[in-house]
Amino acid sequence: MADDLSLEGKVALVTGAAQGIGREIASRMAQHGARVILTDVEPELGKEAAATMKGASYRDLDVTSETQWEKAIETLRDEHGRLDILVNNAGISPAANIEQTDLDLWRRVQAINVESVFLGCRTALPLMRESGDGGSIVNLSSIQGLRPAAPLAAYSASKAAVRALTKSVALHAAGDRIRCNSVHPGGVHTRMLDDFAALTGDTDAAITQMNAANPLGRVGQPLDIANGVLYLASDLSVWVTGLELVIDGGSTL
């Protein structure tokens, strides 16, 4: 068993990797030796991101499409012959309470945040199993999956579903030494957080208030989350599965 965070010889796929947390996750894994496939629906940003990482490549992937998932995994099989790490990071976070959420919005959030994780896990598991070396699936949930927020009705429900699905997959795949864990970020300074803060009418003031409200004095940065994912992807966490890794500066306390 490795005694460090080395990912040498491992192949990783990260969804929603063109920017924000997903890009930082891909970058950290590439820095530690993984061959990383970044996927997204923003090809210009995705290709630019992949070009900054050693051994990385970009592929378009609509995570709500069963057909595109199947093609992506088949391409991985043809080009790399294996998949060791899957990070289901893609997601959206529209602000709307239950009465403001129409059925179309509800279904869109569930499709991107939940069905994508279902499709990713289900489609990737056979290839991960083929190598016989085990593997690691990391699903991005949220602290709202543990502590729902009224203005985020569909989002909170979707992230709670990711939490439960992760545990089911962990139990199902344990016999093949494939681990499945969820990461639950608090407020992280990304475009998504800026959009949420902008609803107050003064983005800078809202971010300042969020910083002050956090026990550790600031909102998170993508690197804070990427470091947790790196641990779960590496052999340092070889006996860790079904975990809810909360990375929030203590805000849920």
Side-chain angles (χ1 to χ4, degrees), residues 5-160:
L5 292 170
S6 174
L7 301 179
E8 290 289 340
K10 296 184 184 294
V11 176
L13 186 151
V14 183
T15 69
Q19 59 187 321
I21 292 172
R23 176 172 177 160
E24 194 67 48
I25 289 169
S27 178
R28 287 296 280 156
M29 291 198 295
Q31 290 167 14
H32 285 265
R35 289 174 289 170
V36 185
I37 295 87
L38 292 76
T39 70
D40 211 304
V41 291
E42 299 190 64
E44 290 187 11
L45 287 174
K47 290 174 183 178
E48 184 276 326
T52 68
M53 306 173 198
K54 182 179 178 180
S57 60
Y58 171 80
R59 178 183 176 87
D60 284 332
L61 175 60
D62 176 353
V63 292
T64 68
S65 168
E66 182 176 22
T67 300
Q68 289 195 29
W69 266 111
E70 290 170 349
K71 289 180 178 178
I73 296 301
E74 196 57 39
T75 299
L76 266 174
R77 179 181 279 107
D78 293 341
E79 295 181 353
H80 299 284
R82 63 187 299 126
L83 177 62
D84 303 282
I85 301 160
L86 170 64
V87 181
N88 286 306
N89 166 76
I92 59 173
S93 175
N97 63 38
I98 186 64
E99 293 184 88
Q100 296 165 335
T101 303
D102 62 27
L103 188 56
D104 285 342
L105 177 60
W106 174 268
R107 287 174 172 167
R108 180 167 177 259
V109 173
Q110 306 315 311
I112 296 174
N113 290 5
V114 186
E115 288 180 17
S116 69
V117 177
F118 157 72
L119 289 170
C121 293
R122 191 191 67 177
T123 311
L125 276 170
L127 180 56
M128 298 185 84
R129 188 179 295 119
E130 284 176 15
S131 72
D133 296 328
S136 175
I137 299 173
V138 183
N139 297 326
L140 271 288
S141 180
S142 167
I143 59 170
Q144 266 70 56
L146 304 171
R147 189 190 64 184
L152 295 167
Y155 180 78
S156 296
S158 73
K159 291 304 185 179

Side-chain angles (χ1 to χ4, degrees), residues 208 210-219 249:
T208 297
M210 291 178 192
N211 285 332
N214 188 279
L216 290 183
R218 65 171 176 84
V219 297

Side-chain angles (χ1 to χ4, degrees), residues 170-186:
L171 289 168
H172 170 75
D176 294 302
R177 293 186 296 116
I178 297 171
R179 301 173 293 106
C180 189
N181 296 286
S182 57
V183 172
H184 298 252

